[in-house]
Amino acid sequence: MISNEKKAWAEETLRQKANELGRLPTKKDFDVATSSRIKAFLGTWPHALECAGLKEAKSRRKPTNQQK
């Protein structure tokens, strides 16, 4: 299980980079080791951005087709 300290580090690292860049950070904005650690602690890159509060979570529901 990943510790809360590691998750907090990853989230803060993402927020600091976003603040520095003025946009959402991508994996390429970090060295390989750092981006790998962020993904290990928070999951996929989109999920990591959501955890850091940088990106709104997408709805997990599939849209219904209500044609009549």
Side-chain angles (χ1 to χ4, degrees), residues 1-13 15 37 41-42:
M1 180 175 224
I2 304 298
S3 74
N4 288 337
E5 284 181 9
K6 289 179 180 180
K7 289 180 182 180
W9 169 86
E11 291 168 359
E12 184 59 26
T13 300
R15 286 190 291 267
R37 288 178 69 201
F41 300 156
L42 299 177

Side-chain angles (χ1 to χ4, degrees), residues 14-26 29 54:
L14 285 168
R15 286 190 291 267
Q16 286 176 353
K17 185 61 81 170
N19 189 44
E20 174 187 318
L21 297 171
R23 61 173 171 79
L24 288 178
T26 66
D29 293 319
L54 299 174

